[in-house]
Amino acid sequence: MEQVFAVAMSGGVDSSLTAKMLLEQGHKVFGITLRLWVENTPEDDVPLAVTDAKKMCDFLGIKHYVVDARHVFYENVVDYFVKEYARGRTPNPCVFCNKNIKFDLLLHRALELGATHMVTGHYAQVKYNQTTGLYELHKGADPTKDQSYVMYTMNQHILSHIVFPLGAQCKTETRKEANRYQLPVANKPDSEDICFLPNHNYQGLVQRELKQPVKKGKIVHENGEVLGTHTGLFNYTIGQRKGLGIAYSTPLYVTKLDAEKNEVVVGPNESLFTKRMICKFYNFLDGVTPKVLHAEGKIRYAANPASCTAHILEDGTMEVVFDEPQRAITPGQSVVFYKGTQVLGGGVIDKVC
């Protein structure tokens, strides 16, 4: 069967280079772009990402398709993002976008359009293990750009149709190759922060989308002393020190966001170190949930993996215990399990024990 590659085009250097590389190899290629919900964007305005992707497809001489995912994106990513912050959590929207949009909706549409594979510019690697007969997800070779942490929700069907051509190289090589091919976006800056927040003000989004008055409450020392008033739980995150608006004799950090009491709890740095957490919405890429798993766990995108043990409790949740205490384990973030460079699975942190 002839291979046809649908390149998820964003108008940036990574996706543009992947399309060019495949064309140079003689493959059949077309571009496909998600039109997502973006805050304060009128219904008739086409986002810059879509127009830039169209320009690059025209430059490369390939067809370009647009998938209007505004409604489903809002329901599955933005609404979840807002509600999690309102509950005193710190969500990672990329995890749920990958799960419900990029590697679900977009992949499904690419296959409908005749593609055998969907290609993205992510810095991760898919490998086929001939011994086990399973596809594996591995870290990208560039540790500063590795995106495997937000991809633990994948399964074997998805992995069998995904290609990451840039996963084995560094971003500096991507820039170099893009300039060699004289791509117009060779030196285009990387996109940063949250794609649906052009002004980067997530607090404003949460407040507007909740459509209700901000619930102020107490800032309480873990010893019970009331130190001040907070401006809404969504304005704080675990480990935060600056911007608390309180005075104390020693440095204090946010150690807990108590949604039931509507309180921000603060304490010394040592109170941020814990070993145990309970997780929900877990997934393992081989399709098998292990009874007990010994692996290296990563509690946030920029964290270093550390040895831990995970097992499923009677109520169906997953308990994860680290060998050594970890700093600022944060509900709403994910813990992702690695074996060397391989991603085994992960889950959303529900509570810290």
Side-chain angles (χ1 to χ4, degrees):
M1 181 178 179
E2 184 181 30
Q3 291 185 325
V4 180
F5 296 92
V7 180
M9 299 290 291
S10 66
V13 62
D14 296 326
S15 60
S16 299
L17 179 62
T18 59
K20 179 62 175 177
M21 290 167 62
L22 290 166
L23 288 169
E24 289 293 309
Q25 294 166 11
H27 294 297
K28 286 190 174 182
V29 179
F30 64 85
I32 187 168
T33 300
L34 283 164
R35 183 174 181 181
L36 303 176
W37 182 92
V38 179
E39 188 188 24
N40 295 327
T41 301
E43 189 77 14
D44 296 334
D45 284 10
V46 179
L48 187 61
V50 176
T51 57
D52 283 355
K54 176 66 165 60
K55 289 178 183 177
M56 276 310 307
C57 286
D58 290 343
F59 175 83
L60 295 169
I62 60 176
K63 288 184 178 180
H64 181 238
Y65 299 92
V66 178
V67 178
D68 190 341
R70 285 174 289 180
H71 180 70
V72 67
F73 181 78
Y74 183 89
E75 284 191 339
N76 287 275
V77 180
V78 180
D79 188 56
Y80 169 82
F81 178 87
V82 169
K83 289 178 178 177
E84 281 290 274
Y85 265 111
R87 295 176 61 203
R89 297 169 182 268
T90 306
N92 188 320
C94 294
V95 169
F96 282 81
C97 180
N98 285 337
K99 174 180 171 58
N100 297 301
I101 312 297
K102 288 181 183 175
F103 300 117
D104 185 351
L105 174 68
L106 188 63
L107 174 59
H108 182 72
R109 184 63 181 136
L111 297 177
E112 283 185 338
L113 289 168
T116 56
H117 296 82
M118 188 173 81
V119 186
T120 81
H122 285 97
Y123 287 84
Q125 301 181 75
V126 176
K127 300 179 181 181
Y128 180 71
N129 188 320
Q130 292 186 339
T131 301
T132 63
L134 296 173
Y135 290 90
E136 298 174 351
L137 176 66
H138 288 257
K139 294 179 182 179
D142 186 342
T144 67
K145 291 294 181 180
D146 171 47
Q147 293 167 292
S148 62
Y149 171 83
V150 293
M151 296 180 179
Y152 71 86
T153 58
M154 287 184 165
N155 57 36
Q156 289 296 301
H157 169 73
I158 295 170
L159 290 169
S160 70
H161 289 290
I162 293 295
V163 180
F164 299 133
L166 306 184
Q169 68 186 48
C170 293
K171 186 60 179 263
T172 52
E173 181 65 21
T174 295
R175 295 282 184 193
K176 181 180 177 181
E177 287 292 294
N179 277 294
R180 184 170 71 84
Y181 286 125
Q182 297 183 331
L183 298 182
V185 295
N187 298 308
K188 184 177 180 180
D190 291 341
S191 58
E192 296 180 356
D193 297 318
I194 302 171
C195 66
F196 56 87
L197 283 175
N199 61 6
H200 312 308
N201 179 16
Y202 81 86
Q203 294 96 337
L205 170 73
V206 173
Q207 187 171 340
R208 285 188 292 274
E209 293 301 309
L210 286 176
K211 297 180 175 65
Q212 61 188 33
V214 174
K215 295 181 179 179
K216 296 183 179 181
K218 299 174 182 178
I219 298 178
V220 183
H221 193 287
E222 58 186 26
N223 65 15
E225 184 181 357
V226 177
L227 302 177
T229 302
H230 69 72
T231 57
L233 293 181
F234 57 84
N235 288 308
Y236 306 83
T237 189
I238 304 299
Q240 179 180 340
R241 178 185 175 186
K242 295 181 179 180
L244 299 181
I246 57 175
Y248 204 72
S249 58
T250 58
L252 294 178
Y253 302 79
V254 175
T255 60
K256 182 180 180 181
L257 298 173
D258 192 329
E260 284 189 14
K261 295 182 180 179
N262 190 31
E263 291 180 347
V264 173
V265 182
V266 296
N269 183 59
E270 52 264 32
S271 294
L272 289 170
F273 288 84
T274 50
K275 285 186 176 184
R276 181 174 174 265
M277 71 188 88
I278 302 297
C279 301
K280 294 183 177 179
F281 308 121
Y282 48 81
N283 176 71
F284 293 90
L285 281 76
D286 62 1
V288 180
T289 301
K291 292 182 179 180
V292 179
L293 175 69
H294 300 287
E296 290 189 309
K298 189 173 178 177
I299 59 171
R300 64 176 58 84
Y301 184 86
N304 292 319
S307 296
C308 65
T309 300
H311 72 277
I312 307 303
L313 302 176
E314 291 184 1
D315 63 0
T317 60
M318 179 173 65
E319 179 187 58
V320 181
V321 181
F322 281 87
D323 293 358
E324 299 294 333
Q326 303 297 300
R327 187 181 186 277
I329 299 175
T330 305
Q333 292 289 295
S334 293
V335 57
V336 180
F337 304 115
Y338 290 85
K339 180 181 180 182
T341 64
Q342 184 184 354
V343 179
L344 303 177
V348 176
I349 302 168
D350 185 54
K351 58 184 177 181
V352 180
C353 307

